[in-house]
Amino acid sequence: MNSEQEKARLLQLHRTALQAHLEKDALAYLAPYGSEWYDVRAAGIRLVTKEEELPVIDEYLRRTHFADISEITPPIIHLSTDASMAWVIAEIRVQASQEVAHEEERDYSCRCTWVSIYEKHEGEWAQVVDAPFFQFQTTDEESGSEENRQAVES
């Protein structure tokens, strides 16, 4: 496969993850991830596995109702010279509401940027690093609390 085909494959993985949010499909969202990966966020680094993250992502998607997910800039995709590694930088805008305590929902919007690093595993791309950053613009002062930001970011 040539580099343009590899970049197209990575772009499809990116689009599938965005679509998985709208369809509330945790398995589709986690499909491109390796069996374990480094999660880099909030000034911390964790090694996580699909097995432990599946219920977390599933809960997040079930509680969150996405009104819009829009790319701010097209993803930037780079391949290593030997096409064994790649990275994708993306930037999106999200408008959503999320269920919180007592069946209440809170609206929020955020801008999310991230870097995903991929390795080739048996001919397929596997995400091995996820490094997101969230900038929240809330419509409700309370929903801007650190507790709610952490819930949305998980």
Side-chain angles (χ1 to χ4, degrees), residues 44 62 70-71 91-92 114 120:
R62 281 191 291 115
S70 303
E71 289 183 341
E91 180 180 26
I92 61 172
W114 69 92
K120 270 287 184 73

Side-chain angles (χ1 to χ4, degrees), residues 11-96:
L11 181 59
Q12 186 55 45
L13 293 176
H14 166 77
R15 289 183 176 150
T16 297
L18 296 181
Q19 189 62 34
H21 280 76
L22 298 171
E23 295 174 0
K24 301 181 179 293
D25 188 342
L27 288 173
Y29 175 81
L30 289 172
Y33 283 81
S35 58
E36 62 181 23
W37 66 92
Y38 287 97
D39 184 74
V40 181
R41 70 175 78 208
I45 301 169
R46 295 181 316 133
L47 181 62
V48 296
T49 67
K50 273 189 182 180
E51 184 178 328
E52 67 190 16
E53 284 299 294
L54 181 60
V56 174
I57 298 298
D58 186 55
E59 173 73 12
Y60 160 70
L61 293 175
R62 281 191 291 115
R63 291 184 316 121
T64 308
H65 310 283
F66 296 94
D68 183 51
I69 298 176
S70 303
E71 289 183 341
I72 296 171
T73 56
I76 301 165
I77 301 171
H78 177 80
L79 293 171
S80 65
T81 306
D82 65 357
S84 65
M85 293 190 74
W87 49 258
V88 177
I89 299 174
E91 180 180 26
I92 61 172
R93 181 177 297 108
V94 175
Q95 292 183 330

Side-chain angles (χ1 to χ4, degrees), residues 116-127:
S116 299
I117 299 174
Y118 294 85
E119 291 178 346
K120 270 287 184 73
H121 291 182
E122 299 179 10
E124 298 296 325
W125 290 111
Q127 188 169 340

